[in-house]
């Protein structure tokens, strides 16, 4: 696939964590999350995802748990988007590379995180599965 097919703005359809053993899944930010992914021709990426319905009156801890964001330069290697994180919601990501497997099928961009032991599933192995569609307008 030509990497220029990834360039542009994308709108989040879903963000789930899926277990590797039983394929159980859970919505990370509710059934109708909000998100924008932008990948530019000069290989810059920015991703912002939040739960829908967040309120200014929510505690800072609740707001932090219901959002994810990072940005930086990216490169494509085979079926992976690899971003060197320059700015992030979580300071532990700064300076690290975030590698995500991707597939573009019928206009839907699916991005998967590496498998990890996840507290949502009592430490069982799981991966994030995010589905995106091209942003309109």
């Amino acid at each position: 696939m030509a990497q220029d097919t990834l360039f542009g703005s994308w709108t989040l359809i879903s963000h789930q964590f899926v277990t590797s053993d039983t394929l159980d899944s859970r919505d990370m930010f509710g059934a109708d999350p909000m998100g924008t992914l932008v990948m530019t021709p000069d290989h810059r990426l920015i991703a912002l995802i939040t739960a829908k319905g967040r309120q200014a009156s929510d505690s800072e801890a609740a707001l932090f748990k219901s959002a994810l964001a990072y940005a930086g330069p990216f490169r494509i290697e085979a079926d992976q988007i690899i971003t060197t994180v320059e700015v992030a919601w979580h300071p532990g990501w700064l300076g690290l590379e975030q590698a995500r497997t991707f597939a573009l099928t019928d206009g839907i961009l699916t991005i998967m995180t590496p498998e990890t032991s996840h507290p949502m599933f009592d430490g069982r192995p799981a991966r994030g599965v995010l589905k995106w569609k091209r942003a309109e307008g």
Side-chain angles (χ1 to χ4, degrees):
M1 166 191 321
Q3 59 184 318
D4 61 350
T5 61
L6 299 175
F7 298 152
S9 299
W10 299 84
T11 299
L12 187 64
I13 299 169
S14 65
H15 181 190
Q16 296 186 319
F17 250 78
V18 180
T19 61
S20 303
D21 52 2
T22 62
L23 300 180
D24 291 338
S25 66
R26 295 197 186 140
D27 293 317
M28 287 299 297
F29 295 114
D32 191 21
M34 299 170 57
T36 297
L37 172 68
V38 178
M39 290 185 277
T40 67
D42 62 343
H43 291 259
R44 304 287 303 175
L45 178 146
I46 182 166
L48 172 61
I49 300 170
T50 68
K52 196 170 193 175
R54 294 165 22 115
Q55 301 294 316
S57 59
D58 291 347
S59 72
E60 286 187 23
L63 291 172
F64 186 76
K65 288 179 181 178
S66 62
L68 179 151
Y70 67 99
F74 76 92
R75 67 185 187 278
I76 304 293
E77 291 183 5
D79 65 346
Q80 291 203 318
I81 301 167
I82 303 167
T83 306
T84 302
V85 179
E86 293 179 337
V87 178
W89 67 286
H90 194 300
W93 285 20
L94 297 175
L96 299 179
E97 287 189 338
Q98 294 294 323
R100 306 288 187 253
T101 303
F102 75 92
L104 183 58
T105 306
D106 297 328
I108 301 298
L109 176 61
T110 301
I111 297 178
M112 293 177 290
T113 67
E115 186 177 84
T116 186
S117 134
H118 200 277
M120 240 180 160
F121 297 105
D122 298 322
R124 291 178 15 233
R127 70 177 65 242
V129 179
L130 297 87
K131 294 192 181 280
W132 304 85
K133 65 179 181 178
R134 287 238 177 243
E136 297 177 10

